[in-house]
């Protein structure tokens, strides 16, 4: 119960920060950079907030990363390694989870003992297949929002707990004696 309460306490500020970060990156920085370098394709996201399945969310929320993963992971896994669609999807999420975990590992300076982000990405795969039951329904959209609203704060809390189990200060500075 204390973990659930901690997640719910962190959920609103975390989600607001995530939305602000999304707008900053996908609404301001990327279009601004595209304007400066005269990049013709300025579509960085679709209407992910209306999706009714998690698979359509992952397709629509970050177009550059999605196209990279499809082009360089998913298609190659199916073509060269003759994997089925579901195994190729799982493998793509596996690699994506490893890359996300590496980014977080660097951000937290290797202080996490458990690869929480990696596990979070892998947990998306069964949720994707489960959310297909609700395609085109409001319940599917609620499941997508719930996974965003609860999943992010859970990962943040788990990383913070790992970090503070080793350090007494947020700044990694040894306490003065």
């Amino acid at each position: 119960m204390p973990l659930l309460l901690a997640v719910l306490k962190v959920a609103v500020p975390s989600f607001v920060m995530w939305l602000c970060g999304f707008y900053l990156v996908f609404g301001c920085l990327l279009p601004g950079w595209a304007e400066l370098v005269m990049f013709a394709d300025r579509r960085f996201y679709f209407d992910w907030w209306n999706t009714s399945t998690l698979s359509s969310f992952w397709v629509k929320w970050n177009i550059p990363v999605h196209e990279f993963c499809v082009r360089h992971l998913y298609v190659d896994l199916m073509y060269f390694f003759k994997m089925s669609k579901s195994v190729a999807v799982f493998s793509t999420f596996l690699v994506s989870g490893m890359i996300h975990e590496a980014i977080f590992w660097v951000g937290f300076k290797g202080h996490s003992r458990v690869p929480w982000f990696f596990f979070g990405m892998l947990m998306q795969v069964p949720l994707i297949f489960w959310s297909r039951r609700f395609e085109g329904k409001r319940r599917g959209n609620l499941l997508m929002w719930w996974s965003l609203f609860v999943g992010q704060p859970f990962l943040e809390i788990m990383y913070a707990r790992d970090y503070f189990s080793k350090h007494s200060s947020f700044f990694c500075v040894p306490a003065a004696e």
Side-chain angles (χ1 to χ4, degrees), residues 75-166:
V75 171
D76 286 349
L77 289 171
M78 289 180 61
Y79 181 76
F80 292 114
F81 297 103
K82 309 293 186 228
M83 290 183 179
S84 67
K85 275 185 160 185
S86 55
V87 173
V89 165
F90 180 77
S91 301
T92 302
F93 267 87
L94 187 75
V95 172
S96 178
M98 285 190 266
I99 292 169
H100 279 81
E101 185 63 40
I103 292 168
F104 267 70
W105 191 80
V106 169
F108 279 92
K109 299 180 183 175
H111 294 298
S112 180
R113 297 172 294 193
V114 180
W116 294 109
F117 209 102
F118 177 71
F119 292 142
M121 289 291 291
L122 290 186
M123 283 305 299
Q124 291 292 310
V125 175
L127 281 174
I128 285 171
F129 289 110
W130 188 57
S131 73
R132 288 184 181 162
R133 298 173 37 182
F134 307 116
E135 188 167 4
K137 298 178 184 169
R138 184 172 290 162
R139 283 188 219 166
N141 187 255
L142 289 174
L143 177 65
M144 185 272 304
W145 281 105
W146 176 82
S147 71
L148 287 176
F149 192 74
V150 173
Q152 256 340 86
F154 177 75
L155 292 175
E156 291 167 8
I157 287 173
M158 298 315 289
Y159 276 110
R161 284 187 175 194
D162 273 355
Y163 182 82
F164 286 116
S165 70
K166 294 180 182 178

